[in-house]
Amino acid sequence: MRSLIDILELSTTELEKLLAVACDIIENPQKYAHKCDGKKLATLFFEPSTRTRLSFEAAMYELGGNVLGFSEANSSSAAKGESVADTAKTVGCYADIIAMRHPKEGAPLVASMNSSVPVINAGDGGHNHPTQTLADLLTIHREKGRFDNLTVGFCGDLKFGRTVHSLISALKRYKNVKFVFISPSELKIPDYVKETLTKEGIKYTETTDLEGSMADLDILYMTRVQRERFFNEEDYLRLKDSYILTPEKLANAKEDMSILHPLPRVNEISVAIDNDPRACYFKQVFNGKIMRMALILKLLEVE
Ligand code: NCD
Protein backbone atom coordinates (compact mmCIF):
# COMPACT_ATOMS: atom_id res chain seq x y z
CA MET A 1 0.00 0.00 0.00
CA ARG A 2 1.31 3.44 -0.95
CA SER A 3 0.54 6.95 0.21
CA LEU A 4 1.63 10.24 -1.39
CA ILE A 5 3.24 12.65 1.05
CA ASP A 6 6.07 14.12 -1.06
CA ILE A 7 6.05 14.43 -4.86
CA LEU A 8 9.49 12.74 -5.01
CA GLU A 9 7.87 9.48 -3.92
CA LEU A 10 6.70 9.24 -7.53
CA SER A 11 9.45 8.37 -10.01
CA THR A 12 9.54 10.25 -13.31
CA THR A 13 8.33 7.05 -15.00
CA GLU A 14 5.35 6.91 -12.64
CA LEU A 15 4.63 10.58 -13.31
CA GLU A 16 4.66 9.92 -17.04
CA LYS A 17 2.18 7.12 -16.52
CA LEU A 18 -0.11 9.36 -14.43
CA LEU A 19 0.03 12.03 -17.15
CA ALA A 20 -0.87 9.43 -19.78
CA VAL A 21 -3.82 8.20 -17.70
CA ALA A 22 -4.90 11.82 -17.15
CA CYS A 23 -4.87 12.51 -20.91
CA ASP A 24 -6.89 9.34 -21.48
CA ILE A 25 -9.42 10.43 -18.84
CA ILE A 26 -9.83 13.74 -20.69
CA GLU A 27 -10.37 11.89 -24.00
CA ASN A 28 -12.54 9.05 -22.68
CA PRO A 29 -14.22 10.05 -19.40
CA GLN A 30 -16.92 7.38 -19.73
CA LYS A 31 -14.27 4.64 -19.51
CA TYR A 32 -13.56 5.75 -15.94
CA ALA A 33 -17.08 6.44 -14.69
CA HIS A 34 -17.34 3.22 -12.65
CA LYS A 35 -13.72 2.46 -11.80
CA CYS A 36 -14.24 3.29 -8.12
CA ASP A 37 -17.79 2.00 -7.62
CA GLY A 38 -18.23 1.13 -3.95
CA LYS A 39 -15.05 2.93 -2.84
CA LYS A 40 -14.92 5.81 -0.41
CA LEU A 41 -12.60 8.80 -0.16
CA ALA A 42 -12.33 10.69 3.14
CA THR A 43 -11.32 14.36 2.92
CA LEU A 44 -9.91 15.50 6.28
CA PHE A 45 -9.31 19.24 5.97
CA PHE A 46 -7.96 20.99 9.05
CA GLU A 47 -7.35 24.16 6.98
CA PRO A 48 -9.50 26.15 4.51
CA SER A 49 -9.73 25.01 0.90
CA THR A 50 -11.93 25.45 -2.15
CA ARG A 51 -10.13 23.80 -5.05
CA THR A 52 -8.18 21.03 -3.41
CA ARG A 53 -11.01 19.58 -1.36
CA LEU A 54 -13.74 20.01 -3.96
CA SER A 55 -11.51 18.66 -6.73
CA PHE A 56 -10.72 15.54 -4.67
CA GLU A 57 -14.43 15.09 -4.08
CA ALA A 58 -15.36 15.73 -7.72
CA ALA A 59 -12.59 13.35 -8.81
CA MET A 60 -13.94 10.53 -6.64
CA TYR A 61 -17.54 11.13 -7.78
CA GLU A 62 -16.44 11.08 -11.43
CA LEU A 63 -14.84 7.69 -10.79
CA GLY A 64 -18.14 6.39 -9.40
CA GLY A 65 -17.01 6.48 -5.76
CA ASN A 66 -18.33 8.26 -2.69
CA VAL A 67 -16.97 10.85 -0.34
CA LEU A 68 -17.10 11.61 3.39
CA GLY A 69 -15.15 13.98 5.57
CA PHE A 70 -14.93 17.35 7.24
CA SER A 71 -13.80 20.75 6.04
CA GLU A 72 -12.68 22.39 9.27
CA ALA A 73 -10.77 21.27 12.33
CA ASN A 74 -13.45 22.68 14.64
CA SER A 75 -16.03 20.21 13.44
CA SER A 76 -13.76 17.20 14.07
CA SER A 77 -12.52 15.58 17.28
CA ALA A 78 -9.25 17.49 16.82
CA ALA A 79 -11.16 20.23 18.67
CA LYS A 80 -11.35 17.81 21.63
CA GLY A 81 -7.63 17.14 21.46
CA GLU A 82 -7.53 13.94 19.38
CA SER A 83 -4.15 13.19 17.76
CA VAL A 84 -3.69 13.00 14.00
CA ALA A 85 -2.57 9.37 14.48
CA ASP A 86 -5.83 8.40 16.21
CA THR A 87 -7.92 10.28 13.64
CA ALA A 88 -6.14 8.39 10.85
CA LYS A 89 -6.64 5.00 12.55
CA THR A 90 -10.33 5.81 12.94
CA VAL A 91 -11.00 7.05 9.44
CA GLY A 92 -9.25 4.00 7.97
CA CYS A 93 -12.21 2.00 9.32
CA TYR A 94 -14.64 4.07 7.22
CA ALA A 95 -12.82 4.94 4.00
CA ASP A 96 -10.56 3.31 1.37
CA ILE A 97 -8.34 6.35 0.90
CA ILE A 98 -7.72 9.63 2.75
CA ALA A 99 -6.83 13.13 1.53
CA MET A 100 -5.57 15.29 4.42
CA ARG A 101 -4.72 18.98 4.67
CA HIS A 102 -3.22 20.23 7.91
CA PRO A 103 -1.53 23.44 9.14
CA LYS A 104 1.31 21.44 10.75
CA GLU A 105 4.19 20.32 8.56
CA GLY A 106 4.43 16.53 8.68
CA ALA A 107 0.87 15.85 9.89
CA PRO A 108 -0.13 13.86 6.76
CA LEU A 109 3.09 11.84 7.11
CA VAL A 110 2.16 10.94 10.70
CA ALA A 111 -1.34 10.02 9.45
CA SER A 112 0.13 7.75 6.76
CA MET A 113 2.29 5.97 9.36
CA ASN A 114 -0.81 5.19 11.39
CA SER A 115 -3.35 4.51 8.68
CA SER A 116 -4.48 1.20 7.21
CA VAL A 117 -5.41 2.98 3.95
CA PRO A 118 -3.41 5.28 1.61
CA VAL A 119 -3.05 8.90 2.73
CA ILE A 120 -2.59 11.78 0.26
CA ASN A 121 -0.99 14.99 1.48
CA ALA A 122 -3.36 17.77 0.40
CA GLY A 123 -1.04 20.45 1.81
CA ASP A 124 0.94 20.46 5.08
CA GLY A 125 1.68 23.93 6.46
CA GLY A 126 4.32 25.79 4.49
CA HIS A 127 5.96 22.52 3.46
CA ASN A 128 4.54 20.52 0.54
CA HIS A 129 1.50 20.18 -1.70
CA PRO A 130 2.15 17.27 -4.09
CA THR A 131 -1.28 17.11 -5.73
CA GLN A 132 -1.14 20.78 -6.70
CA THR A 133 2.16 19.84 -8.34
CA LEU A 134 0.37 17.10 -10.28
CA ALA A 135 -2.07 19.76 -11.52
CA ASP A 136 0.85 22.06 -12.42
CA LEU A 137 2.70 19.27 -14.25
CA LEU A 138 -0.30 18.29 -16.35
CA THR A 139 -0.76 21.97 -17.23
CA ILE A 140 2.89 22.33 -18.27
CA HIS A 141 2.69 19.04 -20.20
CA ARG A 142 -0.40 20.19 -22.11
CA GLU A 143 0.88 23.71 -22.73
CA LYS A 144 4.54 23.06 -23.46
CA GLY A 145 4.74 19.35 -24.29
CA ARG A 146 7.98 19.03 -22.31
CA PHE A 147 9.63 19.44 -18.92
CA ASP A 148 13.22 19.68 -20.23
CA ASN A 149 14.86 22.99 -21.22
CA LEU A 150 12.48 25.25 -19.34
CA THR A 151 13.24 28.45 -17.47
CA VAL A 152 10.70 28.68 -14.68
CA GLY A 153 10.15 31.85 -12.66
CA PHE A 154 8.52 31.61 -9.23
CA CYS A 155 7.20 34.93 -7.92
CA GLY A 156 5.74 36.00 -4.57
CA ASP A 157 5.83 34.14 -1.28
CA LEU A 158 8.55 31.57 -1.89
CA LYS A 159 9.15 31.09 1.82
CA PHE A 160 5.76 29.79 2.89
CA GLY A 161 4.37 28.76 -0.52
CA ARG A 162 4.15 24.98 -0.30
CA THR A 163 3.08 24.64 -3.94
CA VAL A 164 6.38 26.27 -4.94
CA HIS A 165 8.44 23.84 -2.87
CA SER A 166 6.75 20.77 -4.34
CA LEU A 167 6.90 21.98 -7.94
CA ILE A 168 10.63 22.73 -7.63
CA SER A 169 11.19 19.19 -6.34
CA ALA A 170 9.34 17.73 -9.30
CA LEU A 171 10.93 19.89 -12.01
CA LYS A 172 14.53 19.69 -10.82
CA ARG A 173 14.68 16.10 -12.09
CA TYR A 174 14.42 17.20 -15.73
CA LYS A 175 17.25 18.23 -18.05
CA ASN A 176 18.42 21.82 -18.30
CA VAL A 177 15.70 23.29 -16.10
CA LYS A 178 16.57 26.71 -14.68
CA PHE A 179 14.80 28.46 -11.83
CA VAL A 180 14.41 32.20 -11.26
CA PHE A 181 13.23 33.00 -7.72
CA ILE A 182 11.54 36.41 -7.56
CA SER A 183 10.50 37.56 -4.08
CA PRO A 184 10.90 40.28 -1.49
CA SER A 185 13.95 39.52 0.65
CA GLU A 186 11.69 38.57 3.60
CA LEU A 187 9.97 35.84 1.57
CA LYS A 188 12.94 34.18 -0.13
CA ILE A 189 13.02 30.50 -0.95
CA PRO A 190 14.11 28.51 2.14
CA ASP A 191 17.78 27.56 2.50
CA TYR A 192 16.97 23.84 2.58
CA VAL A 193 15.53 24.09 -0.93
CA LYS A 194 18.53 26.04 -2.23
CA GLU A 195 20.98 23.63 -0.61
CA THR A 196 19.40 20.70 -2.46
CA LEU A 197 19.54 22.56 -5.77
CA THR A 198 23.20 23.51 -5.26
CA LYS A 199 24.10 19.95 -4.27
CA GLU A 200 22.40 18.58 -7.37
CA GLY A 201 24.02 21.17 -9.67
CA ILE A 202 20.74 22.82 -10.70
CA LYS A 203 20.89 26.40 -11.90
CA TYR A 204 18.93 29.09 -10.08
CA THR A 205 19.05 32.83 -9.54
CA GLU A 206 17.40 35.01 -6.89
CA THR A 207 16.09 38.50 -7.52
CA THR A 208 13.50 41.02 -6.37
CA ASP A 209 12.88 42.22 -9.95
CA LEU A 210 9.89 40.69 -11.74
CA GLU A 211 9.91 42.83 -14.89
CA GLY A 212 13.66 42.48 -15.34
CA SER A 213 13.34 38.68 -15.26
CA MET A 214 10.34 38.41 -17.56
CA ALA A 215 12.02 38.04 -20.97
CA ASP A 216 13.81 34.80 -20.00
CA LEU A 217 10.82 32.90 -18.67
CA ASP A 218 8.99 29.99 -20.30
CA ILE A 219 6.76 29.70 -17.25
CA LEU A 220 5.83 32.30 -14.66
CA TYR A 221 4.40 30.77 -11.46
CA MET A 222 2.72 33.51 -9.41
CA THR A 223 1.79 32.93 -5.76
CA ARG A 224 -0.25 34.50 -2.99
CA VAL A 225 1.44 35.94 0.10
CA GLN A 226 0.48 33.32 2.70
CA ARG A 227 -1.15 35.51 5.33
CA GLU A 228 -2.00 32.59 7.65
CA ARG A 229 1.69 31.70 8.09
CA PHE A 230 2.82 35.19 9.20
CA PHE A 231 3.66 35.90 12.81
CA ASN A 232 2.31 39.43 12.65
CA GLU A 233 -0.26 41.27 10.58
CA GLU A 234 2.02 44.30 10.07
CA ASP A 235 4.55 42.29 8.06
CA TYR A 236 1.76 40.78 6.00
CA LEU A 237 0.28 44.20 5.18
CA ARG A 238 3.70 45.51 4.18
CA LEU A 239 4.44 42.57 1.87
CA LYS A 240 1.05 41.52 0.52
CA ASP A 241 1.14 43.60 -2.66
CA SER A 242 4.85 43.18 -3.44
CA TYR A 243 4.04 41.84 -6.90
CA ILE A 244 0.99 42.50 -9.00
CA LEU A 245 1.13 41.15 -12.52
CA THR A 246 -0.47 43.60 -14.96
CA PRO A 247 -0.63 43.56 -18.79
CA GLU A 248 2.09 46.28 -18.89
CA LYS A 249 4.51 44.04 -17.01
CA LEU A 250 4.11 41.38 -19.70
CA ALA A 251 5.55 43.71 -22.36
CA ASN A 252 8.83 41.77 -22.56
CA ALA A 253 7.39 38.31 -21.93
CA LYS A 254 7.66 35.54 -24.51
CA GLU A 255 4.61 35.09 -26.74
CA ASP A 256 4.24 31.54 -25.50
CA MET A 257 5.10 32.01 -21.82
CA SER A 258 2.59 30.21 -19.58
CA ILE A 259 1.29 32.04 -16.51
CA LEU A 260 0.42 29.68 -13.68
CA HIS A 261 -1.01 30.33 -10.21
CA PRO A 262 -2.27 27.63 -7.82
CA LEU A 263 -5.08 30.00 -6.70
CA PRO A 264 -6.68 31.47 -4.67
CA ARG A 265 -5.61 34.77 -6.20
CA VAL A 266 -5.84 37.79 -3.93
CA ASN A 267 -4.19 40.64 -5.83
CA GLU A 268 -1.20 39.06 -7.55
CA ILE A 269 -2.64 38.88 -11.04
CA SER A 270 -4.78 41.64 -12.50
CA VAL A 271 -8.08 40.29 -13.85
CA ALA A 272 -7.15 42.09 -17.08
CA ILE A 273 -4.79 39.17 -17.73
CA ASP A 274 -7.46 36.47 -17.46
CA ASN A 275 -8.23 36.62 -21.18
CA ASP A 276 -4.59 36.64 -22.26
CA PRO A 277 -3.88 33.32 -24.04
CA ARG A 278 -0.88 32.86 -21.74
CA ALA A 279 -3.08 32.73 -18.61
CA CYS A 280 -3.33 29.08 -17.52
CA TYR A 281 -4.56 29.31 -13.93
CA PHE A 282 -8.11 28.19 -14.58
CA LYS A 283 -6.83 25.38 -16.80
CA GLN A 284 -4.78 24.29 -13.77
CA VAL A 285 -8.01 23.93 -11.79
CA PHE A 286 -9.46 21.52 -14.36
CA ASN A 287 -6.19 19.63 -14.68
CA GLY A 288 -6.05 19.24 -10.89
CA LYS A 289 -9.26 17.28 -10.83
CA ILE A 290 -8.10 15.00 -13.65
CA MET A 291 -4.72 14.29 -12.02
CA ARG A 292 -6.42 13.54 -8.71
CA MET A 293 -8.57 11.00 -10.56
CA ALA A 294 -5.43 9.39 -11.99
CA LEU A 295 -3.76 9.41 -8.56
CA ILE A 296 -6.74 7.85 -6.77
CA LEU A 297 -6.78 5.05 -9.38
CA LYS A 298 -3.08 4.45 -8.85
CA LEU A 299 -3.13 4.40 -5.06
CA LEU A 300 -6.24 2.20 -4.97
CA GLU A 301 -4.53 -0.07 -7.49
CA VAL A 302 -7.54 0.00 -9.80
CA GLU A 303 -6.73 -1.36 -13.27
C1 NCD B 1 -2.57 26.63 -2.51
C2 NCD B 1 -2.36 26.04 -1.14
O1 NCD B 1 -3.32 25.69 -0.45
O2 NCD B 1 -1.20 25.91 -0.76
N1 NCD B 1 -3.88 26.53 -2.96
C3 NCD B 1 -4.29 25.38 -3.58
O3 NCD B 1 -4.28 24.32 -3.02
N2 NCD B 1 -4.66 25.47 -4.86
C4 NCD B 1 -2.01 28.00 -2.65
C5 NCD B 1 -2.45 29.06 -1.68
O4 NCD B 1 -3.23 28.82 -0.77
O5 NCD B 1 -1.99 30.18 -1.86
Side-chain angles (χ1 to χ4, degrees):
M1 181 193 84
R2 279 179 72 182
S3 288
L4 180 66
I5 304 303
D6 186 310
I7 193 71
L8 289 176
E9 292 160 18
L10 295 169
S11 68
T12 50
T13 312
E14 285 179 306
L15 274 179
E16 249 165 66
K17 200 118 185 263
L18 282 175
L19 292 167
V21 171
C23 292
D24 194 51
I25 294 172
I26 295 170
E27 296 287 312
N28 306 294
Q30 72 292 347
K31 235 169 84 180
Y32 295 86
H34 296 286
K35 292 277 187 197
C36 287
D37 280 359
K39 302 272 188 205
K40 279 173 278 171
L41 163 78
T43 51
L44 312 185
F45 276 59
F46 297 86
E47 253 193 5
S49 170
T50 298
R51 273 150 295 271
T52 304
R53 185 172 61 84
L54 295 186
S55 75
F56 265 113
E57 298 190 354
M60 194 50 157
Y61 285 127
E62 290 196 23
L63 292 167
N66 283 299
V67 174
L68 63 164
F70 53 81
S71 55
E72 48 182 325
N74 281 343
S75 64
S76 78
S77 280
K80 300 179 186 169
E82 185 170 53
S83 69
V84 162
D86 286 1
T87 302
K89 280 181 195 159
T90 302
V91 176
C93 299
Y94 308 142
D96 302 284
I97 186 163
I98 294 172
M100 176 185 280
R101 168 170 288 190
H102 202 287
K104 287 218 175 88
E105 287 81 1
L109 173 65
V110 171
S112 71
M113 288 158 58
N114 287 279
S115 167
S116 56
V117 302
V119 174
I120 302 171
N121 179 4
D124 63 326
H127 190 213
N128 279 324
H129 192 347
T131 63
Q132 180 61 45
T133 298
L134 295 179
D136 303 339
L137 291 175
L138 180 57
T139 308
I140 296 170
H141 173 75
R142 297 180 75 198
E143 296 299 313
K144 294 265 166 254
R146 67 178 201 277
F147 298 121
D148 295 335
N149 304 313
L150 290 173
T151 299
V152 186
F154 289 92
C155 178
D157 187 347
L158 310 189
K159 180 179 180 185
F160 297 117
R162 55 194 173 195
T163 64
V164 170
H165 307 151
S166 290
L167 184 55
I168 292 168
S169 288
L171 288 177
K172 73 182 169 64
R173 296 189 286 189
Y174 297 94
K175 273 195 224 106
N176 195 30
V177 169
K178 291 184 202 124
F179 297 119
V180 182
F181 299 132
I182 308 152
S183 72
S185 59
E186 293 90 336
L187 298 176
K188 275 161 83 168
I189 197 90
D191 287 341
Y192 79 87
V193 177
K194 284 190 278 188
E195 278 156 22
T196 315
L197 295 179
T198 305
K199 210 162 60 199
E200 296 178 18
I202 292 141
K203 291 193 190 126
Y204 70 86
T205 53
E206 285 187 285
T207 176
T208 54
D209 182 8
L210 172 59
E211 276 172 279
S213 312
M214 197 66 84
D216 295 329
L217 305 180
D218 298 301
I219 292 172
L220 171 59
Y221 196 94
M222 295 296 295
T223 62
R224 172 181 72 91
V225 175
Q226 307 278 302
R227 179 181 207 155
E228 64 276 32
R229 316 250 179 259
F230 276 67
F231 294 109
N232 68 70
E233 184 74 358
E234 228 169 86
D235 285 350
Y236 168 72
L237 293 173
R238 186 166 47 81
L239 294 167
K240 72 182 174 61
D241 291 328
S242 299
Y243 298 98
I244 300 175
L245 188 64
T246 55
E248 298 72 51
K249 291 189 185 152
L250 288 175
N252 295 324
K254 292 184 185 173
E255 287 284 306
D256 65 344
M257 183 181 80
S258 299
I259 305 166
L260 274 65
H261 189 311
L263 303 181
R265 151 176 67 185
V266 182
N267 235 346
E268 312 78 48
I269 303 181
S270 152
V271 292
I273 290 180
D274 294 1
N275 292 326
D276 188 299
R278 291 168 285 198
C280 294
Y281 26 97
F282 289 105
K283 293 181 186 172
Q284 274 168 279
V285 175
F286 172 79
N287 290 334
K289 180 187 71 176
I290 303 293
M291 280 303 261
R292 290 182 176 103
M293 290 172 75
L295 179 67
I296 290 169
L297 291 171
K298 177 177 174 63
L299 297 181
L300 288 179
E301 298 175 21
V302 176
E303 278 308 305

